[in-house]
Amino acid sequence: MKVDYSLYLVTDNTKAILGDHDILEVVEKAVKGGVTIVQLRDKTSETKDLIAIARALKKICSKHNVPFLVNDRVDVALAADADGVHIGQDDMNIKDARKLLGPDKIIGVTASSLEEALTAAQAGADYLGLGTVYATPTKANSKSIIGTSGVRHILGQLHEKGFSAVSTVCIGGVNSSNLQRVLLQASHLSKPLNGVAVVSAIMAAEDPEATSANLLNLVRSPAPFHSRNIAALSSRTSTELPSAPADLLKLIVPLFAALAEAKPLCHNMTNLVVQNFAANIALALGGSPIMAQSGGEAADLAKLGGSLLLNQGSVTPESLANSVVATKAYNSVGGAIVFDPVGAGATAARRAAVKSMLGQSYFSVIKGNESEILTVLGEQVIIQHGVDSASGSGLTTEDKARVVKKLAARERCVILMTGKVDVLSDGKRTYAISNGDAMLGEVTGTGCTLGTTIGAFVAVEKRRDKEGKGGDMLLATLAACIVFEIAAERAAKKVNGPGGFVPMFIDEIYGLRKNLAKGYTGFVDAAKVELIDV
C-alpha cells in the first residue's frame, strides 16, 4: 500500500484535548480537510468499546481512502480490519506483530533515539514516528525531548545505514505556528521527513476540517522564510546562484543602491552598550533603525518588510522569552533575521540559550567569531573570555570553511565566521574575505554593528526576492561585509587611534553610500574574496 504520510493524525480521547466533541465527527472532518493517515490512540477504553470505535473510524477512513491504524493493540487492529498498527518501545515487537498481521499491513514504530530507530528499521518497520520534538501534554511519559536537531541526526544516520526507504514523520508539539520550520530544520538533506504527526492541533480544534486543510497546505507549501539558498541546498543539480567571486562582486553595488533607495527597517534587539553605534551605522547605510527589546512589538514591526538583528548580549529568562516571540513574528511573515550569539561559549547558560533559540527559530544568517560558531555547531566548545574569540584553536582557513559549510547545510541558512579572515557559506558556496582592519577590534561593538549592516542588506535582498530579483542571502551577507570592512580600512588610514575611529568609520560608510549616486563605485575593487572548495 502506498501511503501518504504528509499529515498524520493521532487521536486523543481525553477530556483535556477532545473536550465535549465526538471523536468520530472530529476525525471525519479532519480527513475531509486533508489528513492523509489516521491512528487511533486510546489508552482508557475497554476492549469491546475500543473495537467498536476502531470499526467506526475504519469505515470513515475507508470512505475517504485514508489509511487507518491502531496504536499498540494488534488484537483491536485485527478485529477492526485496520490497515495497520503503530507500536511503541514497550509494546509488542515488530516480528510478532508482523506474524499476526501479515505482510501487507502497515507497521509503524515510535523512536526517540538513534538506537531505537535503527533497531526498528532493521526489524522491518514501514515507518518511524520520530520525537518527541517539543514538550507536549498528550504524552506524559515521553522518554526524551530530542528537538529538531535530534530528528535530523536520526534521519542522517538512517540514510547512511541504508534505510532511506523507511518513511518518517516527526511528532510532538507540532502546530500551525511551527510546522514549516520543523519540516525544514528537522529534515536531513539526504533524507527529508515524509510528514508530520499532530494530535491536539487537530483534535482540540474548533474547526477540525479547516485546521486540517490549513496544516496540509503548510506541509506542501514553501515556508515564508524560504530562500534561493535553501532551494539550492535541496537541489542535486546546479543552480542559478552565482559562485565566482567576480560575479558576486558585480552585484554588490546594485544591492547597495537598492538599500539606499528602500531605506529598510533595521530592528535591533541588542545590548545597551552598542545601541547608539548600531543606530548610526544603520542610518549611514541608508537604513531606518529602531531599537526595540520587547518581543511584543515584533508582530507589528515584522510587517514593515525590514529585518531583525537578534544580539544575544545578555541571557535572562525575560530576554530569551522576548527573543522567541520576536523570531516567531518575523518567521511568520518571512522576515529576515540575523542571529549574533554573543559570547555563546562563555557559560553553560549561554550555550543552553543558543540551543533553545536554534530549536525555536529559523535564522537567515548566523554570524559570530570562531568560538561562537563552533559553539553553535555543538561539536566542540571553546571556552570564551567575555565576548572575545578564544585563540589557539589551530583551525586553518580551510578547517573554518568546513565548519561554516557544515553548519550552513545543517541549519539551512548563511553562516559567517568573523576573524582576521572572515569565512562565509550557505552550505554550497564558501568564501574567505580578507578585508577589514585591526582597528575594528580596538573599539566596542563593531561585531554587533556588522550584524546591523548584514540586517540592512538581507532585508533588501528579501524584498527583491519577493519581486523575483533577489533572494540570495549569501550575496547580501557578502555585500555587507565588503561595505563594512572597506569602510573600516579607509577610516583606519585617517585616524591615530580608536577614539577617532568610530566617527570616521561612520563617515566612511556614509560616504560610500553618497558616492553611489555620483557613480563612484570603485570601492568594490578593493574587495579580497576567495572561493574555497571544501
Side-chain angles (χ1 to χ4, degrees):
M1 175 187 294
K2 184 170 177 58
V3 181
D4 181 356
Y5 293 96
S6 298
L7 185 58
Y8 187 142
L9 172 62
V10 180
T11 70
D12 189 307
N13 65 330
T14 62
K15 181 75 172 177
I17 300 299
L18 187 61
D20 296 324
H21 297 115
D22 179 84
I23 189 171
L24 301 183
E25 292 181 2
V26 171
V27 172
E28 179 141 37
K29 290 177 181 178
V31 293
K32 284 181 178 178
V35 161
T36 59
I37 181 169
V38 174
Q39 176 196 141
L40 169 63
R41 185 176 185 273
D42 183 338
K43 300 291 186 180
T44 60
S45 297
E46 297 294 332
T47 298
K48 179 180 178 182
D49 296 330
L50 192 56
I51 290 172
I53 295 169
R55 284 174 171 165
L57 288 176
K58 165 64 177 176
K59 184 176 180 181
I60 290 170
C61 290
S62 294
K63 182 170 65 175
H64 296 278
N65 296 313
V66 170
F68 170 68
L69 312 182
V70 175
N71 179 273
D72 183 14
R73 300 288 298 271
V74 175
D75 57 333
V76 174
L78 287 167
D81 191 27
D83 298 298
V85 295
H86 181 89
I87 51 183
Q89 292 297 316
D90 301 321
D91 300 331
M92 182 182 294
N93 64 53
I94 296 176
K95 183 178 179 181
D96 291 338
R98 181 65 71 195
K99 190 181 297 183
L100 291 168
L101 292 167
D104 299 324
K105 297 293 186 180
I106 303 166
I107 298 181
V109 179
T110 297
S112 59
S113 71
L114 177 59
E115 181 183 3
E116 291 173 354
L118 290 175
T119 298
Q122 289 165 351
D126 294 297
Y127 77 89
L128 301 176
L130 304 177
T132 302
V133 180
Y134 300 120
T136 167
T138 60
K139 287 192 73 175
N141 64 338
S142 294
K143 285 187 283 187
S144 63
I145 307 299
I146 63 174
T148 54
S149 61
V151 173
R152 184 175 57 241
H153 175 65
I154 292 172
L155 290 170
Q157 289 299 303
L158 286 170
H159 172 74
E160 284 193 17
K161 303 296 184 183
F163 295 111
S164 290
V166 178
S167 296
T168 54
V169 297
C170 67
I171 187 169
V174 181
N175 53 52
S176 60
S177 72
N178 62 20
L179 184 153
Q180 290 181 310
R181 180 178 56 75
V182 168
L183 274 177
L184 175 68
Q185 294 182 315
S187 289
H188 192 273
L189 287 177
S190 300
K191 181 170 172 54
L193 285 163
N194 296 94
V196 295
V198 297
V199 186
S200 57
I202 291 176
M203 297 304 299
E206 286 300 316
D207 188 340
E209 184 173 351
T211 298
S212 298
N214 179 53
L215 289 171
L216 184 62
N217 179 61
L218 291 173
V219 170
R220 293 178 173 172
S221 303
F225 45 80
H226 193 272
S227 70
R228 291 173 67 196
N229 306 87
I230 295 173
L233 267 175
S234 304
S235 174
R236 295 293 182 185
T237 59
S238 61
T239 69
E240 297 179 359
L241 293 175
S243 60
D247 293 336
L248 284 166
L249 293 175
K250 290 176 184 176
L251 301 174
I252 289 177
V253 169
L255 182 56
F256 195 5
L259 190 164
E261 181 179 352
K263 296 179 173 54
L265 179 78
C266 299
H267 177 188
N268 283 244
M269 295 182 74
T270 190
N271 59 78
L272 292 171
V273 175
V274 300
Q275 285 186 2
N276 182 66
F277 190 8
N280 284 327
I281 289 292
L283 288 169
L285 288 164
S288 177
I290 183 169
M291 307 293 148
Q293 304 298 100
S294 171
E297 295 186 83
D300 291 329
L301 295 174
K303 297 173 184 176
L304 301 178
S307 64
L308 169 67
L309 168 64
L310 182 61
N311 180 307
Q312 187 182 269
S314 59
V315 180
T316 65
E318 183 182 9
S319 68
L320 287 174
N322 279 317
S323 296
V324 170
V325 171
T327 56
K328 285 184 176 180
Y330 275 82
N331 281 167
S332 70
V333 297
I337 308 177
V338 180
F339 182 42
D340 187 352
V342 178
T347 66
R350 287 178 181 270
R351 293 191 287 274
V354 168
K355 185 175 181 180
S356 175
M357 290 306 303
L358 291 174
Q360 300 182 76
S361 314
Y362 173 78
F363 301 109
S364 309
V365 181
I366 300 175
K367 70 156 287 284
N369 59 39
E370 180 182 321
S371 50
E372 289 161 355
I373 295 301
L374 286 170
T375 299
V376 174
L377 182 62
E379 294 185 0
Q380 177 182 356
V381 175
I382 297 177
I383 300 300
Q384 290 179 253
H385 301 284
V387 299
D388 297 325
S389 178
S391 60
S393 70
L395 294 184
T396 66
T397 299
E398 288 72 23
D399 292 332
K400 295 174 184 178
R402 292 186 186 93
V403 167
V404 298
K405 183 176 182 179
K406 182 176 184 178
L407 183 57
R410 189 187 83 181
E411 296 299 325
R412 311 294 205 279
C413 71
V414 172
I415 303 295
L416 173 65
M417 180 189 287
T418 59
K420 186 175 181 180
V421 175
D422 300 330
V423 185
L424 172 69
S425 182
D426 64 358
K428 275 207 166 182
R429 302 168 295 167
T430 306
Y431 302 90
I433 308 167
S434 301
N435 290 102
D437 190 272
M439 193 65 73
L440 287 168
E442 298 296 327
V443 295
T444 299
T446 53
C448 301
T449 53
L450 173 58
T452 300
T453 306
I454 295 169
F457 275 92
V458 295
V460 173
E461 188 67 358
K462 271 286 185 181
R463 289 189 186 186
R464 283 156 49 89
D465 187 23
K466 293 177 181 178
E467 297 168 359
K469 301 175 184 177
D472 187 350
M473 297 298 104
L474 182 140
L475 167 63
T477 307
L478 176 65
C481 290
I482 295 302
V483 169
F484 189 88
E485 293 175 4
I486 288 177
E489 291 173 357
R490 293 185 171 198
K493 292 176 182 178
K494 299 177 181 179
V495 299
N496 295 319
F501 176 73
V502 171
M504 184 60 71
F505 178 42
I506 295 170
D507 283 350
E508 287 296 329
I509 291 178
Y510 175 82
L512 290 178
R513 173 170 65 91
K514 284 298 182 180
N515 285 335
L516 288 177
K518 301 175 184 178
Y520 300 149
T521 60
F523 71 92
V524 177
D525 295 337
K528 302 171 185 175
V529 181
E530 176 188 359
L531 177 65
I532 305 177
D533 185 13
V534 289

